[in-house]
């Protein structure tokens, strides 16, 4: 082959290659590849519109827990109807201004209720005496009017502080199922939320200490499946989720079958591990990145792509702890943790708890957070 023929063929090949590359680029931009699909029915429910019809997207959760310990600071303790309504709207407007789009409200904190219940007494944490109005309806309306979803948060087995109903008894399951039905049948909530109070922690004097971890998991699994079916039978758009302790081994010792919940359908619509540590944690005389380490373990555990939001320990901001040094040494822990969770594929965060968003010692932490969300 002559040099002239070789050059001619070379230019022809280069021209064809260039045309092929242009076609490939056009193809990927004009017809982008589909997004990664969730592998479970649980995960698919995350993108469904909230039951209330509010405009909040469930894909990016920026949430807060409002616990029984927050009622007073929120202006909700022992108020007349007019004052309760005014304060609820004022508080929710403030939360919304701070980027919050989801509320987990303590509706059944301690075998009592913040609404008129057939099965539970009025909560002493919200009222000194029985009110002549329904606080839950006011709270839900206030949340929805401020474009936030409202989830009723329940302690499933708490009988009184430090004492639990026996999870292994059928009466305990029937009790919590009745309460859940009462809420979803009478209120326009967007979901039901449980925290990490299942079996009490193991110890010599602890309740149900002799119950094995394997039995605990079987019992709690039955309860979780039952409540999931109850919630979905009312409305498939209603969401059911749990917030376990952030230490995986400890959560499992309480009865959380995390491997099952995060690999099979029919248990949860989302999960919120409480990863309340900083990345300057002193362990065995060495500083370790405990938050990041546990975040990575949770993400690795999530085999069916269940929506995962990270519970953040805002209550520790600005406070000195001899083991967890990061909260007093730095004031950008929260922003750093949100960024790391997002990078790891998590779909949101939840602050514990609402009152700490407005306390003096967390002011610097919140200032950095507000800059970040803007």
């Amino acid at each position: 082959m002559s040099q002239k023929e070789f050059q001619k063929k070379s230019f022809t090949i280069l021209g064809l290659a260039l045309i092929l590359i242009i076609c490939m680029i056009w193809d990927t931009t004009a017809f982008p590849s589909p997004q990664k699909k969730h592998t479970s029915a649980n995960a698919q429910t995350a993108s469904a519109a909230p039951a209330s019809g509010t405009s909040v997207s469930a894909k990016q959760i920026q949430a807060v827990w409002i616990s029984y310990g927050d009622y007073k600071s929120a202006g909700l303790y022992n108020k007349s109807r007019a004052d309760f309504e005014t304060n609820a709207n004022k508080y929710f407007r403030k939360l919304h201004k701070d980027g919050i789009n989801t509320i987990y409200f303590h509706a059944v904190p301690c075998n009592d209720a913040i609404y008129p219940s057939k099965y539970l007494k009025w909560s002493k944490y919200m009222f000194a005496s029985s009110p002549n109005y329904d606080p839950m309806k006011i709270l839900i309306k206030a949340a929805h009017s401020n474009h936030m979803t409202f989830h009723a948060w329940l302690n499933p087995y708490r009988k009184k502080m430090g004492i639990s109903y026996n999870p292994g008894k059928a009466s305990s399951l029937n009790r919590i199922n009745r309460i859940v039905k009462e809420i979803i049948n009478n209120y326009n909530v967007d979901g039901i939320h449980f925290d990490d109070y299942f079996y009490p922690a193991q110890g010599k004097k602890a309740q149900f200490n002799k119950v094995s971890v394997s039995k605990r998991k079987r019992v709690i699994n039955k309860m979780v499946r039952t409540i999931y079916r109850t919630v979905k039978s009312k409305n498939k758009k209603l969401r059911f989720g749990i917030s376990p302790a952030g230490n995986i081994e400890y959560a499992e010792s309480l009865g959380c079958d995390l491997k099952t919940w995060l690999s099979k359908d029919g248990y949860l619509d989302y999960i919120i591990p409480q990863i309340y540590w900083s990345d300057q944690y002193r362990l065995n005389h060495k500083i370790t990145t405990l938050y990041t380490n546990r975040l990575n373990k949770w993400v690795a555990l999530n085999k069916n792509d269940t929506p995962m939001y990270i519970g953040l320990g805002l209550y520790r901001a600005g406070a000195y702890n001899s083991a967890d040094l990061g909260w007093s040494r730095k004031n950008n822990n929260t922003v750093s943790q949100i960024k790391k969770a997002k990078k790891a594929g998590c779909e949101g965060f939840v602050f514990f708890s609402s009152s700490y968003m407005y306390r003096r010692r967390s002011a610097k932490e919140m200032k950095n957070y507000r800059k970040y969300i803007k």
Side-chain angles (χ1 to χ4, degrees), residues 176-184 192 194 227 230-231:
I176 191 61
N177 201 34
R178 282 197 306 268
I179 295 169
V180 169
K181 286 181 178 179
E182 181 177 56
I183 292 173
I184 62 178
I192 296 294
F194 287 171
I227 300 304
T230 295
V231 169

Side-chain angles (χ1 to χ4, degrees), residues 188-199:
N188 190 28
V189 296
D190 298 289
I192 296 294
H193 177 72
F194 287 171
D195 59 17
D196 57 332
Y197 288 95
F198 298 107
Y199 274 91

Side-chain angles (χ1 to χ4, degrees), residues 29-69:
T29 55
F31 303 97
S33 58
Q35 296 292 320
K36 176 184 177 184
K37 292 183 179 180
H38 292 306
T39 57
S40 72
N42 294 349
Q44 290 168 4
T45 60
S47 61
S52 66
T54 59
S55 60
V56 176
S57 169
K59 289 185 178 180
Q60 277 301 316
I61 297 298
Q62 296 181 179
V64 68
W65 282 294
I66 301 180
S67 79
Y68 70 90

Side-chain angles (χ1 to χ4, degrees), residues 19 21 31 90 115 128 175 194 250 276 289 295 374:
I19 292 170
I21 291 169
F31 303 97
K90 182 180 178 181
Y115 63 90
R175 170 188 168 274
F194 287 171
Y250 176 71
Y276 289 165
T289 54
L295 170 66
K374 287 182 180 179

Side-chain angles (χ1 to χ4, degrees), residues 205-242:
K205 296 183 179 180
Q207 276 187 291
F208 323 119
N209 182 50
K210 294 182 179 180
V211 179
S212 67
V213 172
S214 59
K215 183 177 180 179
R216 290 178 179 216
K217 288 182 177 180
R218 289 197 303 273
V219 168
I220 301 305
N221 275 349
K222 182 179 179 181
M223 183 273 290
V224 172
R225 287 197 305 270
T226 299
I227 300 304
Y228 182 87
R229 287 195 295 266
T230 295
V231 169
K232 296 302 177 182
S233 66
K234 174 63 179 179
N235 187 335
K236 289 183 179 180
K237 291 182 179 180
L238 284 173
R239 306 185 72 216
F240 173 56
I242 289 175

Side-chain angles (χ1 to χ4, degrees), residues 38-313:
H38 292 306
T39 57
S40 72
N42 294 349
Q44 290 168 4
T45 60
S47 61
S52 66
T54 59
S55 60
V56 176
S57 169
K59 289 185 178 180
Q60 277 301 316
I61 297 298
Q62 296 181 179
V64 68
W65 282 294
I66 301 180
S67 79
Y68 70 90
D70 299 318
Y71 296 161
K72 288 185 178 180
S73 63
L76 303 176
Y77 175 71
N78 206 37
K79 300 296 182 181
S80 66
R81 178 188 179 95
D83 287 344
F84 188 94
E85 190 167 8
T86 297
N87 292 350
N89 277 289
K90 182 180 178 181
Y91 197 62
F92 285 6
R93 279 197 301 271
K94 184 161 70 168
L95 290 172
H96 184 256
K97 185 179 179 181
D98 279 335
I100 300 301
N101 62 25
T102 305
I103 302 291
Y104 297 104
F105 199 98
H106 226 160
V108 180
C110 189
N111 197 30
D112 53 9
I114 65 160
Y115 63 90
S117 172
K118 293 181 181 179
Y119 313 111
L120 302 167
K121 62 183 181 297
W122 282 102
S123 176
K124 65 180 181 180
Y125 299 104
M126 184 169 277
F127 300 103
S129 59
S130 301
N132 59 358
Y133 61 94
D134 189 336
M136 187 103 104
K137 288 185 178 179
I138 294 173
L139 291 166
I140 294 169
K141 183 179 179 181
H144 290 168
S145 66
N146 283 284
H147 309 290
M148 298 186 288
T149 56
F150 183 98
H151 301 251
W153 164 19
L154 296 79
N155 293 108
Y157 295 116
R158 184 183 281 165
K159 189 173 186 178
K160 59 182 182 180
M161 291 299 177
I163 303 294
S164 297
Y165 286 100
N166 186 346
K169 287 190 174 182
S171 59
S172 297
L173 175 54
N174 292 336
R175 170 188 168 274
I176 191 61
N177 201 34
R178 282 197 306 268
I179 295 169
V180 169
K181 286 181 178 179
E182 181 177 56
I183 292 173
I184 62 178
N185 287 334
N186 292 296
Y187 296 95
N188 190 28
V189 296
D190 298 289
I192 296 294
H193 177 72
F194 287 171
D195 59 17
D196 57 332
Y197 288 95
F198 298 107
Y199 274 91
Q202 292 177 317
K204 289 183 179 180
K205 296 183 179 180
Q207 276 187 291
F208 323 119
N209 182 50
K210 294 182 179 180
V211 179
S212 67
V213 172
S214 59
K215 183 177 180 179
R216 290 178 179 216
K217 288 182 177 180
R218 289 197 303 273
V219 168
I220 301 305
N221 275 349
K222 182 179 179 181
M223 183 273 290
V224 172
R225 287 197 305 270
T226 299
I227 300 304
Y228 182 87
R229 287 195 295 266
T230 295
V231 169
K232 296 302 177 182
S233 66
K234 174 63 179 179
N235 187 335
K236 289 183 179 180
K237 291 182 179 180
L238 284 173
R239 306 185 72 216
F240 173 56
I242 289 175
S243 175
N247 182 327
I248 290 174
E249 293 75 21
Y250 176 71
E252 289 178 338
S253 76
L254 303 179
C256 298
D257 190 356
L258 302 173
K259 291 180 181 178
T260 297
W261 298 354
L262 296 176
S263 65
K264 296 183 179 180
D265 295 347
Y267 289 89
L268 301 174
D269 290 313
Y270 65 87
I271 194 164
I272 310 176
Q274 301 166 18
I275 310 181
Y276 289 165
W277 301 272
S278 78
D279 267 346
Q280 287 191 302
Y281 190 89
R282 184 180 287 152
L283 188 64
N284 298 325
H285 306 291
K286 293 182 179 180
I287 300 299
T288 183
T289 54
L290 193 58
Y291 170 82
T292 299
N293 295 347
R294 289 189 167 161
L295 170 66
N296 291 339
K297 285 185 177 181
W298 276 97
V299 171
L301 192 65
N302 192 4
K303 302 300 183 184
N304 66 345
D305 203 21
T306 294
M308 182 177 289
Y309 324 132
I310 304 303
L312 301 179

